[in-house]
Amino acid sequence: LSSLVGMGRRSYTRSSSRGGGRRRGGSMSSDSSASFSRSRSNSRERSPTPERIPRLVVRNLTRNVNEDHLKEIFGQYGEIVHAEVQKDARSKLSLGSAFIEFKAIKEAERALDCMDEAHIDGNKVVVKLAATNLASSP
């Protein structure tokens, strides 16, 4: 196991080209305090926020990593309900990604914080919350 996991350092950068100082019409902004935020109407009633399933997606895995490895590595952050490596239907080889479902969302968030950009089996992995909710789960 120790050969599979290594913690990576994170670096957060923000691109200055985001927005680029241009207005919607394409002309350069002379007023640096211009705001392009969209106002939201409070008159519309919003549907309740669906509960999130504590499921993570892990990308950039090597073909050596299997479900047992993932359970051992991510199990230190909480109880794992299910772990599944995505495999090619024909060759049965790993596609380099996996889903890991935890018992509680706090456990999944803690694993996300610790394991995103960490090294597993020599690869820097990307860990994100999977885009699912209770309505779409089986």
Side-chain angles (χ1 to χ4, degrees):
L1 174 67
S2 62
S3 66
L4 286 177
V5 180
M7 296 303 292
R9 292 188 182 242
R10 294 185 183 194
S11 63
Y12 296 98
T13 59
R14 178 169 268 193
S15 172
S16 62
S17 65
R18 191 176 200 186
R22 292 189 167 258
R23 291 183 182 255
R24 287 184 184 177
S27 63
M28 291 300 291
S29 172
S30 61
D31 182 12
S32 64
S33 65
S35 173
F36 298 111
S37 64
R38 199 184 290 179
S39 65
R40 295 184 180 191
S41 172
N42 290 333
S43 63
R44 286 186 278 167
E45 190 174 317
R46 295 182 186 206
S47 61
T49 306
E51 289 187 47
R52 293 182 296 170
I53 294 177
R55 186 178 296 157
L56 299 177
V57 60
V58 184
R59 301 193 193 283
N60 200 31
L61 294 168
T62 66
R63 289 185 174 172
N64 298 329
V65 178
N66 61 34
E67 285 88 355
D68 292 334
H69 292 132
L70 294 171
K71 287 177 182 177
E72 187 174 349
I73 293 165
F74 284 86
Q76 59 189 317
Y77 302 105
E79 185 178 340
I80 294 177
V81 175
H82 183 72
E84 180 180 353
V85 173
Q86 301 298 293
K87 296 180 181 176
D88 180 74
R90 286 187 185 164
S91 68
K92 306 296 185 205
L93 293 174
S94 171
L95 294 173
S97 63
F99 289 98
I100 302 170
E101 187 172 337
F102 286 86
K103 187 165 185 152
I105 190 69
K106 289 190 184 260
E107 296 170 343
E109 289 171 344
R110 188 170 62 210
L112 170 70
D113 290 341
C114 295
M115 292 302 296
D116 187 30
E117 297 186 1
H119 289 265
I120 298 178
D121 196 30
N123 278 8
K124 185 189 279 188
V125 296
V126 176
V127 180
K128 302 287 180 200
L129 278 173
T132 58
N133 59 37
L134 287 178
S136 66
S137 66

